[in-house]
Structures are given as structure tokens and as C-alpha cells.
mmCIF file of all heavy atoms in Angstrom:
data_model
loop_
_atom_site.group_PDB
_atom_site.id
_atom_site.type_symbol
_atom_site.label_atom_id
_atom_site.label_comp_id
_atom_site.label_asym_id
_atom_site.label_seq_id
_atom_site.Cartn_x
_atom_site.Cartn_y
_atom_site.Cartn_z
ATOM 1 N N PHE A 1 69.736 127.736 130.743
ATOM 2 C CA PHE A 1 71.058 128.406 131.049
ATOM 3 C C PHE A 1 71.812 127.412 131.940
ATOM 4 O O PHE A 1 71.281 126.767 132.778
ATOM 5 C CB PHE A 1 70.843 129.713 131.770
ATOM 6 C CG PHE A 1 70.262 130.783 130.886
ATOM 7 C CD1 PHE A 1 69.764 130.571 129.602
ATOM 8 C CD2 PHE A 1 70.315 132.120 131.341
ATOM 9 C CE1 PHE A 1 69.272 131.570 128.840
ATOM 10 C CE2 PHE A 1 69.794 133.145 130.553
ATOM 11 C CZ PHE A 1 69.282 132.844 129.380
ATOM 12 N N ILE A 2 73.173 127.482 131.830
ATOM 13 C CA ILE A 2 74.106 126.751 132.658
ATOM 14 C C ILE A 2 75.241 127.662 133.097
ATOM 15 O O ILE A 2 75.885 128.207 132.244
ATOM 16 C CB ILE A 2 74.664 125.535 131.943
ATOM 17 C CG1 ILE A 2 73.495 124.615 131.483
ATOM 18 C CG2 ILE A 2 75.635 124.757 132.854
ATOM 19 C CD1 ILE A 2 74.040 123.485 130.560
ATOM 20 N N ILE A 3 75.425 127.830 134.417
ATOM 21 C CA ILE A 3 76.596 128.603 134.949
ATOM 22 C C ILE A 3 77.739 127.544 135.289
ATOM 23 O O ILE A 3 77.424 126.480 135.686
ATOM 24 C CB ILE A 3 76.174 129.345 136.166
ATOM 25 C CG1 ILE A 3 77.277 130.376 136.599
ATOM 26 C CG2 ILE A 3 75.756 128.550 137.369
ATOM 27 C CD1 ILE A 3 76.915 131.393 137.670
ATOM 28 N N SER A 4 78.915 128.036 135.026
ATOM 29 C CA SER A 4 80.015 127.206 135.419
ATOM 30 C C SER A 4 81.167 128.129 135.778
ATOM 31 O O SER A 4 81.141 129.324 135.559
ATOM 32 C CB SER A 4 80.495 126.249 134.304
ATOM 33 O OG SER A 4 80.854 126.994 133.143
ATOM 34 N N ARG A 5 82.222 127.584 136.423
ATOM 35 C CA ARG A 5 83.416 128.383 136.779
ATOM 36 C C ARG A 5 84.706 127.578 136.549
ATOM 37 O O ARG A 5 84.722 126.283 136.631
ATOM 38 C CB ARG A 5 83.315 128.812 138.254
ATOM 39 C CG ARG A 5 83.490 127.710 139.334
ATOM 40 C CD ARG A 5 83.172 128.301 140.742
ATOM 41 N NE ARG A 5 84.078 129.313 141.098
ATOM 42 C CZ ARG A 5 83.778 130.309 142.011
ATOM 43 N NH1 ARG A 5 82.615 130.275 142.583
ATOM 44 N NH2 ARG A 5 84.719 131.180 142.343
ATOM 45 N N ASP A 6 85.727 128.298 136.237
ATOM 46 C CA ASP A 6 86.999 127.734 136.117
ATOM 47 C C ASP A 6 87.970 128.516 137.033
ATOM 48 O O ASP A 6 88.404 129.646 136.678
ATOM 49 C CB ASP A 6 87.562 127.859 134.677
ATOM 50 C CG ASP A 6 88.870 127.168 134.437
ATOM 51 O OD1 ASP A 6 89.655 126.936 135.382
ATOM 52 O OD2 ASP A 6 89.135 126.812 133.172
ATOM 53 N N ASN A 7 88.290 127.952 138.172
ATOM 54 C CA ASN A 7 89.122 128.700 139.165
ATOM 55 C C ASN A 7 90.527 128.923 138.732
ATOM 56 O O ASN A 7 91.179 129.917 139.168
ATOM 57 C CB ASN A 7 89.060 127.942 140.470
ATOM 58 C CG ASN A 7 87.770 127.978 141.209
ATOM 59 O OD1 ASN A 7 86.908 128.828 140.892
ATOM 60 N ND2 ASN A 7 87.522 127.076 142.126
ATOM 61 N N ALA A 8 91.078 128.018 137.848
ATOM 62 C CA ALA A 8 92.375 128.159 137.303
ATOM 63 C C ALA A 8 92.451 129.479 136.467
ATOM 64 O O ALA A 8 93.590 130.048 136.259
ATOM 65 C CB ALA A 8 92.847 126.992 136.559
ATOM 66 N N LYS A 9 91.422 129.887 135.815
ATOM 67 C CA LYS A 9 91.382 130.956 134.984
ATOM 68 C C LYS A 9 90.656 132.158 135.592
ATOM 69 O O LYS A 9 90.496 133.223 134.897
ATOM 70 C CB LYS A 9 90.671 130.628 133.654
ATOM 71 C CG LYS A 9 91.426 129.576 132.844
ATOM 72 C CD LYS A 9 90.639 129.249 131.504
ATOM 73 C CE LYS A 9 91.411 128.232 130.698
ATOM 74 N NZ LYS A 9 90.725 127.968 129.377
ATOM 75 N N ASN A 10 90.234 132.069 136.836
ATOM 76 C CA ASN A 10 89.468 133.179 137.463
ATOM 77 C C ASN A 10 88.308 133.605 136.674
ATOM 78 O O ASN A 10 88.071 134.862 136.482
ATOM 79 C CB ASN A 10 90.393 134.288 137.765
ATOM 80 C CG ASN A 10 91.335 134.047 138.955
ATOM 81 O OD1 ASN A 10 91.240 132.970 139.585
ATOM 82 N ND2 ASN A 10 92.284 134.837 139.148
ATOM 83 N N THR A 11 87.600 132.718 136.078
ATOM 84 C CA THR A 11 86.546 133.005 135.120
ATOM 85 C C THR A 11 85.244 132.219 135.400
ATOM 86 O O THR A 11 85.311 131.064 135.744
ATOM 87 C CB THR A 11 87.037 132.767 133.711
ATOM 88 O OG1 THR A 11 88.189 133.545 133.390
ATOM 89 C CG2 THR A 11 85.867 133.105 132.659
ATOM 90 N N ILE A 12 84.083 132.920 135.187
ATOM 91 C CA ILE A 12 82.756 132.220 135.177
ATOM 92 C C ILE A 12 82.210 132.378 133.810
ATOM 93 O O ILE A 12 82.518 133.317 133.080
ATOM 94 C CB ILE A 12 81.847 132.695 136.314
ATOM 95 C CG1 ILE A 12 81.430 134.166 136.080
ATOM 96 C CG2 ILE A 12 82.391 132.478 137.676
ATOM 97 C CD1 ILE A 12 80.247 134.624 136.901
ATOM 98 N N TYR A 13 81.281 131.352 133.544
ATOM 99 C CA TYR A 13 80.651 131.357 132.225
ATOM 100 C C TYR A 13 79.168 131.217 132.419
ATOM 101 O O TYR A 13 78.670 130.690 133.389
ATOM 102 C CB TYR A 13 81.143 130.142 131.393
ATOM 103 C CG TYR A 13 82.667 130.120 131.237
ATOM 104 C CD1 TYR A 13 83.451 129.457 132.116
ATOM 105 C CD2 TYR A 13 83.303 130.842 130.152
ATOM 106 C CE1 TYR A 13 84.859 129.409 132.030
ATOM 107 C CE2 TYR A 13 84.696 130.780 130.076
ATOM 108 C CZ TYR A 13 85.447 130.131 130.941
ATOM 109 O OH TYR A 13 86.799 129.995 130.831
ATOM 110 N N LEU A 14 78.455 131.691 131.424
ATOM 111 C CA LEU A 14 77.017 131.497 131.324
ATOM 112 C C LEU A 14 76.705 130.953 129.988
ATOM 113 O O LEU A 14 76.734 131.801 128.950
ATOM 114 C CB LEU A 14 76.264 132.728 131.654
ATOM 115 C CG LEU A 14 74.754 132.601 131.615
ATOM 116 C CD1 LEU A 14 74.257 131.644 132.729
ATOM 117 C CD2 LEU A 14 74.044 133.962 131.864
ATOM 118 N N GLN A 15 76.425 129.689 129.822
ATOM 119 C CA GLN A 15 75.929 129.076 128.588
ATOM 120 C C GLN A 15 74.434 129.261 128.473
ATOM 121 O O GLN A 15 73.750 128.810 129.305
ATOM 122 C CB GLN A 15 76.338 127.610 128.528
ATOM 123 C CG GLN A 15 75.860 126.947 127.271
ATOM 124 C CD GLN A 15 76.571 127.408 126.053
ATOM 125 O OE1 GLN A 15 77.779 127.581 125.997
ATOM 126 N NE2 GLN A 15 75.793 127.679 124.933
ATOM 127 N N MET A 16 74.016 130.015 127.427
ATOM 128 C CA MET A 16 72.628 130.320 127.269
ATOM 129 C C MET A 16 72.121 129.607 126.012
ATOM 130 O O MET A 16 72.590 129.908 124.969
ATOM 131 C CB MET A 16 72.398 131.811 127.145
ATOM 132 C CG MET A 16 72.992 132.671 128.351
ATOM 133 S SD MET A 16 72.589 134.433 128.224
ATOM 134 C CE MET A 16 73.475 134.837 126.806
ATOM 135 N N ASN A 17 71.141 128.714 126.172
ATOM 136 C CA ASN A 17 70.584 127.957 125.109
ATOM 137 C C ASN A 17 69.096 128.250 124.901
ATOM 138 O O ASN A 17 68.448 128.771 125.814
ATOM 139 C CB ASN A 17 70.755 126.421 125.413
ATOM 140 C CG ASN A 17 72.193 126.076 125.532
ATOM 141 O OD1 ASN A 17 73.075 126.458 124.752
ATOM 142 N ND2 ASN A 17 72.510 125.209 126.505
ATOM 143 N N ASN A 18 68.602 127.975 123.713
ATOM 144 C CA ASN A 18 67.192 128.267 123.459
ATOM 145 C C ASN A 18 66.711 129.551 123.796
ATOM 146 O O ASN A 18 65.725 129.757 124.525
ATOM 147 C CB ASN A 18 66.369 127.135 124.084
ATOM 148 C CG ASN A 18 64.908 127.104 123.572
ATOM 149 O OD1 ASN A 18 64.632 127.643 122.454
ATOM 150 N ND2 ASN A 18 63.987 126.616 124.346
ATOM 151 N N LEU A 19 67.477 130.625 123.433
ATOM 152 C CA LEU A 19 67.243 131.977 123.775
ATOM 153 C C LEU A 19 65.898 132.435 123.246
ATOM 154 O O LEU A 19 65.463 132.108 122.194
ATOM 155 C CB LEU A 19 68.370 132.823 123.320
ATOM 156 C CG LEU A 19 69.636 132.744 124.178
ATOM 157 C CD1 LEU A 19 70.838 133.279 123.422
ATOM 158 C CD2 LEU A 19 69.465 133.518 125.531
ATOM 159 N N LYS A 20 65.246 133.275 124.140
ATOM 160 C CA LYS A 20 63.947 133.809 123.808
ATOM 161 C C LYS A 20 64.057 135.403 123.807
ATOM 162 O O LYS A 20 64.925 135.939 124.451
ATOM 163 C CB LYS A 20 62.892 133.393 124.873
ATOM 164 C CG LYS A 20 62.803 131.937 125.007
ATOM 165 C CD LYS A 20 61.831 131.599 126.112
ATOM 166 C CE LYS A 20 61.687 130.089 126.217
ATOM 167 N NZ LYS A 20 60.726 129.693 127.306
ATOM 168 N N PRO A 21 63.167 136.067 123.093
ATOM 169 C CA PRO A 21 63.147 137.525 123.087
ATOM 170 C C PRO A 21 63.130 138.095 124.481
ATOM 171 O O PRO A 21 63.837 139.179 124.636
ATOM 172 C CB PRO A 21 61.910 137.889 122.255
ATOM 173 C CG PRO A 21 61.693 136.763 121.367
ATOM 174 C CD PRO A 21 62.161 135.526 122.141
ATOM 175 N N GLU A 22 62.469 137.489 125.382
ATOM 176 C CA GLU A 22 62.417 138.014 126.771
ATOM 177 C C GLU A 22 63.766 137.845 127.498
ATOM 178 O O GLU A 22 63.884 138.352 128.606
ATOM 179 C CB GLU A 22 61.321 137.321 127.555
ATOM 180 C CG GLU A 22 61.309 135.816 127.571
ATOM 181 C CD GLU A 22 60.405 135.262 126.458
ATOM 182 O OE1 GLU A 22 60.360 135.792 125.329
ATOM 183 O OE2 GLU A 22 59.699 134.243 126.829
ATOM 184 N N ASP A 23 64.721 137.175 126.931
ATOM 185 C CA ASP A 23 66.084 137.152 127.535
ATOM 186 C C ASP A 23 66.901 138.407 127.158
ATOM 187 O O ASP A 23 68.057 138.588 127.649
ATOM 188 C CB ASP A 23 66.845 135.941 127.017
ATOM 189 C CG ASP A 23 66.171 134.644 127.496
ATOM 190 O OD1 ASP A 23 65.789 134.548 128.694
ATOM 191 O OD2 ASP A 23 66.132 133.648 126.698
ATOM 192 N N THR A 24 66.390 139.153 126.280
ATOM 193 C CA THR A 24 67.099 140.437 125.932
ATOM 194 C C THR A 24 67.423 141.328 127.128
ATOM 195 O O THR A 24 66.495 141.703 127.820
ATOM 196 C CB THR A 24 66.334 141.187 124.814
ATOM 197 O OG1 THR A 24 66.205 140.402 123.630
ATOM 198 C CG2 THR A 24 66.998 142.528 124.498
ATOM 199 N N ALA A 25 68.615 141.620 127.327
ATOM 200 C CA ALA A 25 69.010 142.439 128.550
ATOM 201 C C ALA A 25 70.477 142.676 128.585
ATOM 202 O O ALA A 25 71.268 142.114 127.738
ATOM 203 C CB ALA A 25 68.659 141.706 129.825
ATOM 204 N N VAL A 26 70.929 143.570 129.385
ATOM 205 C CA VAL A 26 72.325 143.648 129.725
ATOM 206 C C VAL A 26 72.605 142.709 130.840
ATOM 207 O O VAL A 26 71.949 142.698 131.888
ATOM 208 C CB VAL A 26 72.684 145.145 130.136
ATOM 209 C CG1 VAL A 26 74.215 145.205 130.567
ATOM 210 C CG2 VAL A 26 72.447 146.092 129.019
ATOM 211 N N TYR A 27 73.628 141.864 130.664
ATOM 212 C CA TYR A 27 74.001 140.826 131.631
ATOM 213 C C TYR A 27 75.233 141.267 132.382
ATOM 214 O O TYR A 27 76.259 141.711 131.813
ATOM 215 C CB TYR A 27 74.226 139.580 130.910
ATOM 216 C CG TYR A 27 72.948 138.810 130.468
ATOM 217 C CD1 TYR A 27 72.256 139.291 129.471
ATOM 218 C CD2 TYR A 27 72.508 137.728 131.154
ATOM 219 C CE1 TYR A 27 71.002 138.738 129.103
ATOM 220 C CE2 TYR A 27 71.406 137.081 130.802
ATOM 221 C CZ TYR A 27 70.576 137.593 129.761
ATOM 222 O OH TYR A 27 69.398 136.969 129.410
ATOM 223 N N TYR A 28 75.137 141.127 133.718
ATOM 224 C CA TYR A 28 76.191 141.629 134.580
ATOM 225 C C TYR A 28 76.756 140.458 135.492
ATOM 226 O O TYR A 28 76.018 139.742 136.033
ATOM 227 C CB TYR A 28 75.623 142.682 135.577
ATOM 228 C CG TYR A 28 75.158 143.925 134.928
ATOM 229 C CD1 TYR A 28 73.784 144.090 134.516
ATOM 230 C CD2 TYR A 28 76.051 144.977 134.634
ATOM 231 C CE1 TYR A 28 73.429 145.269 133.930
ATOM 232 C CE2 TYR A 28 75.587 146.207 134.065
ATOM 233 C CZ TYR A 28 74.302 146.336 133.710
ATOM 234 O OH TYR A 28 73.833 147.478 133.163
ATOM 235 N N CYS A 29 78.029 140.494 135.568
ATOM 236 C CA CYS A 29 78.766 139.617 136.533
ATOM 237 C C CYS A 29 78.769 140.273 137.909
ATOM 238 O O CYS A 29 78.899 141.544 137.978
ATOM 239 C CB CYS A 29 80.166 139.359 136.024
ATOM 240 S SG CYS A 29 81.145 138.102 136.888
ATOM 241 N N TYR A 30 78.704 139.529 138.948
ATOM 242 C CA TYR A 30 78.539 139.989 140.312
ATOM 243 C C TYR A 30 79.295 139.163 141.378
ATOM 244 O O TYR A 30 79.211 137.902 141.274
ATOM 245 C CB TYR A 30 77.076 140.137 140.668
ATOM 246 C CG TYR A 30 76.816 140.364 142.112
ATOM 247 C CD1 TYR A 30 76.755 141.697 142.656
ATOM 248 C CD2 TYR A 30 76.586 139.315 143.006
ATOM 249 C CE1 TYR A 30 76.476 141.906 144.001
ATOM 250 C CE2 TYR A 30 76.352 139.611 144.394
ATOM 251 C CZ TYR A 30 76.286 140.948 144.782
ATOM 252 O OH TYR A 30 76.023 141.079 146.157
ATOM 253 N N VAL A 31 79.861 139.848 142.304
ATOM 254 C CA VAL A 31 80.413 139.158 143.485
ATOM 255 C C VAL A 31 80.253 140.036 144.734
ATOM 256 O O VAL A 31 80.428 141.237 144.727
ATOM 257 C CB VAL A 31 81.995 138.767 143.261
ATOM 258 C CG1 VAL A 31 82.811 140.098 143.100
ATOM 259 C CG2 VAL A 31 82.470 137.914 144.393
ATOM 260 N N ARG A 32 79.929 139.350 145.800
ATOM 261 C CA ARG A 32 79.892 140.022 147.163
ATOM 262 C C ARG A 32 81.067 139.568 147.896
ATOM 263 O O ARG A 32 81.170 138.300 148.258
ATOM 264 C CB ARG A 32 78.604 139.741 147.839
ATOM 265 C CG ARG A 32 78.574 140.286 149.358
ATOM 266 C CD ARG A 32 77.202 140.156 149.982
ATOM 267 N NE ARG A 32 76.275 141.080 149.346
ATOM 268 C CZ ARG A 32 74.978 141.126 149.626
ATOM 269 N NH1 ARG A 32 74.415 140.228 150.510
ATOM 270 N NH2 ARG A 32 74.096 141.932 149.077
#
């Protein structure tokens, strides 16, 4: 997995490669 951000777009990304069945989940964005 690779996380990245684009501050000009106020967006973060999660590139997920070679996915496995154990990656099955609900994925949540978070900020404190």
C-alpha cells in the first residue's frame, strides 16, 4: 500500500496493490 496527499485538492489517496482476501474491510479516512 502507498499513501499520498495532494494539498491543492485537499485529498489523500491510498494505492492498494497485490490485494489479499485479508484486506477485505471497510476503509475509513481519519483526521485528529
Side-chain angles (χ1 to χ4, degrees):
F1 290 11
I2 302 170
I3 188 172
S4 61
R5 68 190 297 157
D6 186 339
N7 288 340
K9 296 181 178 180
N10 289 351
T11 300
I12 63 166
Y13 305 93
L14 183 63
Q15 179 66 46
M16 304 186 294
N17 300 315
N18 192 23
L19 283 160
K20 303 176 179 181
E22 51 263 43
D23 296 318
T24 296
V26 177
Y27 284 72
Y28 296 92
C29 187
Y30 167 87
V31 63
R32 174 173 289 174

